[in-house]
Amino acid sequence: MLGTLLERNSNGLYCAAGDFYVDPWEPAERAVITHAHADHLRPGSRQYLTARAGLALVQTRAGPEARVEGAEYGTPVDLNGVRVSFHPAGHILGSSQVRIEHRGEVWAVSGDYKLASDPTCAPFEPVRCHTFVTESTFGLPIFRWLDPGISLDEINAWWRGNQETGKASVLFAYPLGKAQRVLAGIDSSIGPIYTHGAVETFNRIYRDAGVALPSTAYARSAPARTDWSRALIIAPPLSKTNPWLRRFGDFSTAMASGWMRIRGTRRRRSIDRGIVLSDHADWPALLSTIKDSGAERVWVTHGYRTALEQWLSENGLEAHAVETQFEGERDEAVEDVGATEAES
Ligand SMILES: [Zn+2]
Ligand SMILES: [Zn+2]
């Protein structure tokens, strides 16, 4: 049954029956939040509802004054007679697909998701629905990820290689999610690990949630005569000339991102090493997830919408590309740079 439980209006995805938005673009009366990345969570809404596992992150991002409630994964909450529940999306800590049910009609809004293994969050769980709203950040057939273990080994080898040549290893990673996934997966016996403040803020929340991360030190608090040549430093994407980097002396840079799959991205950003590691579904994962949802209708948001919409239409599904406000979001690694470059 293909109803109109959700609609796209000027503030994003709205459920009129339940009077709430999912990841609204502007402040709303009630915001149901898939996860704490800034393109999904805007501050200023009157009430937030998110998965319990992501509550601390949403509270941090929405501000201490915000009214944030959490629901356990799989436990429905009644919003004006509409059943809303959260199901793991495997993207970052506390990330969810939102299942919305009313009078027999079921929608699922994926938020961002991935199927690949990630010890820092609950694994993706398929949700059956009539209409599936899927992300498509990497919705092109060229995007196929290798096993994440291969990318993590690449980081280890790059770090060891830098140690041999007396260089510090500066790894740029998105500070919420990617940084913690890297930390949880690398070989921490190689050397000391330091972090930028933006990364450390989220490390603390992950550790409080019981996620095992190796010990890290805040780079800014390191003594003046610290030998950085054996160290791995995890920072949000910064330009090579950023003053925060000066203290490390001679260093090599790497960036962990799905965008490193595109030839030229690394060079354009003048980064020494590109590590392909994404927290989004690749092309085969998008297709299998859509199939497993059992949905007859698919709304495609984020990223390469048209390619995926076309593929789905050609394969017998009713598909619509749905515009998102944040087209700048194409770079999964860039979101926080503005806020963090101030720290020097
Ligand atoms: Zn995200
Ligand atoms: Zn997103």
Side-chain angles (χ1 to χ4, degrees):
M1 186 183 90
L2 296 180
T4 51
L5 187 52
L6 291 190
E7 60 192 82
R8 224 310 305 277
N9 70 22
S10 59
N11 197 15
L13 280 176
Y14 180 60
C15 176
D19 191 22
F20 61 86
Y21 281 87
V22 181
D23 295 350
W25 302 334
E26 303 292 336
E29 273 299 298
R30 189 187 280 277
V32 173
I33 299 296
T34 62
H35 67 291
H37 279 152
D39 57 316
H40 296 262
L41 169 60
R42 321 296 296 174
S45 285
R46 231 171 66 78
Q47 280 186 79
Y48 293 91
L49 178 64
T50 195
R52 170 93 61 209
L55 196 145
L57 289 172
V58 168
Q59 188 77 64
T60 300
R61 274 288 174 85
E65 307 294 309
R67 288 174 57 191
V68 186
E69 282 175 84
E72 296 300 336
Y73 282 134
T75 304
V77 173
D78 185 295
L79 296 181
N80 305 314
V82 175
R83 270 164 77 97
V84 175
S85 54
F86 298 88
H87 306 267
H91 173 60
I92 63 166
L93 179 66
S95 66
S96 313
Q97 307 163 78
V98 179
R99 184 185 183 280
I100 301 162
E101 181 182 352
H102 184 58
R103 294 182 180 156
E105 184 188 347
V106 180
W107 287 57
V109 180
S110 76
D112 294 336
Y113 63 97
K114 72 171 177 291
L115 308 188
S117 74
D118 179 347
T120 68
C121 60
F124 180 92
E125 282 176 18
V127 176
R128 303 281 297 177
C129 56
H130 300 111
T131 306
F132 187 48
V133 183
T134 183
E135 67 135 323
S136 61
T137 306
F138 292 103
L140 285 179
I142 58 156
F143 294 112
R144 282 161 206 267
W145 314 139
L146 297 173
D147 184 284
I150 296 172
S151 308
L152 293 162
D153 283 347
E154 234 186 294
I155 296 173
N156 292 332
W158 164 76
W159 183 8
R160 284 200 192 90
N162 292 333
Q163 285 183 338
E164 281 161 21
T165 55
K167 282 183 187 174
S169 300
V170 178
L171 178 72
F172 298 132
Y174 193 92
L176 169 52
K178 185 66 58 62
Q180 292 74 31
R181 187 181 182 201
V182 166
L183 279 167
I186 50 166
D187 178 0
S188 60
S189 71
I190 296 173
I193 305 171
Y194 292 89
T195 51
H196 182 282
V199 172
E200 203 52 40
T201 303
F202 297 119
N203 283 356
R204 225 169 288 142
I205 296 173
Y206 272 64
R207 288 190 180 108
D208 287 349
V211 177
L213 300 179
S215 62
T216 53
Y218 184 25
R220 208 181 190 184
S221 318
R225 301 180 68 87
T226 299
D227 171 18
W228 298 102
S229 68
R230 297 188 60 256
L232 174 69
I233 300 112
I234 301 191
L238 302 167
S239 72
K240 224 171 177 165
T241 55
N242 187 291
W244 190 82
L245 296 169
R246 268 185 222 143
R247 73 197 75 195
F248 305 120
D250 202 7
F251 61 87
S252 173
T253 55
M255 174 129 91
S257 166
W259 298 110
M260 292 298 134
R261 176 67 184 77
I262 298 183
R263 211 179 277 275
T265 310
R266 179 189 62 79
R267 214 174 343 102
R268 269 199 306 282
R269 292 170 162 272
S270 61
I271 288 158
D272 301 320
R273 180 71 73 94
I275 310 282
V276 181
L277 185 66
S278 177
D279 286 331
H280 293 265
D282 63 0
W283 176 257
L286 289 170
L287 300 187
S288 69
T289 302
I290 291 166
K291 186 165 174 280
D292 291 348
S293 74
E296 296 154 59
R297 178 169 59 191
V298 181
W299 283 11
V300 182
T301 69
H302 270 57
Y304 296 101
R305 298 185 302 259
T306 7
L308 184 58
E309 179 200 29
Q310 208 170 355
W311 191 96
L312 294 170
S313 301
E314 283 165 12
N315 286 272
L317 286 174
E318 185 190 330
H320 307 276
V322 178
E323 217 182 302
T324 38
Q325 191 186 33
F326 299 100
E327 285 312 299
E329 211 253 346
R330 285 236 4 236
D331 192 334
E332 65 171 5
V334 109
E335 177 191 300
D336 275 329
V337 177
T340 54
E341 279 198 333
E343 188 200 7
S344 59

